[in-house]
Amino acid sequence: MKRVELIFDESNEAEMEMILRQCGVEYYTRFHGVTGVGQSGAKLGNSTGPGINSFIIAYVEADSATRLIAAVDRFMEVCRQNDTSPATRCIVSTIEEFL
């Protein structure tokens, strides 16, 4: 089993929802209004760091995680080709136990 974390600009929520559906991810937890500072800059929801992120955690089987990673990578590539910054991160870790 894998834990997949998605951190993305809230303006991309529709795209992330579509990616989750296409990859067969039915269950996840979402946090809205996430702030912080990362490689893409500050997202603090104010004039110092405009913008807000969303954060999704999903626990999925390994094959679903592979599909999800590939779909997020395609999304990020399309954003780069269109000269837009996706400000998206996908973090995957292995879960030893899930009760």
Side-chain angles (χ1 to χ4, degrees):
M1 179 153 282
K2 302 285 184 178
R3 174 183 167 135
V4 179
E5 301 175 23
L6 297 170
I7 306 166
F8 55 93
D9 189 283
E10 281 193 345
S11 66
N12 294 323
E13 282 193 43
E15 289 85 351
M16 290 299 125
E17 288 275 343
M18 183 179 64
I19 287 171
L20 291 166
R21 278 192 309 276
Q22 288 175 344
C23 293
V25 178
E26 296 180 55
Y27 308 111
Y28 55 87
T29 300
R30 180 193 313 230
F31 300 91
H32 294 279
V34 177
T35 61
V37 180
Q39 290 177 334
S40 62
K43 294 281 186 90
L44 303 173
N46 59 28
S47 59
T48 304
I52 298 287
N53 285 328
S54 280
F55 181 76
I56 290 178
I57 301 171
Y59 295 93
V60 298
E61 296 300 328
D63 59 330
S64 293
T66 300
R67 287 192 303 274
L68 191 52
I69 293 165
V72 170
D73 189 45
R74 284 191 303 274
F75 168 73
M76 292 172 63
E77 182 57 33
V78 167
C79 289
R80 283 189 288 272
Q81 289 173 0
N82 293 326
D83 291 324
T84 59
S85 175
T88 302
R89 297 291 179 256
C90 182
I91 304 156
V92 180
S93 53
T94 301
I95 303 301
E96 292 184 29
E97 291 185 45
F98 186 82
L99 305 173

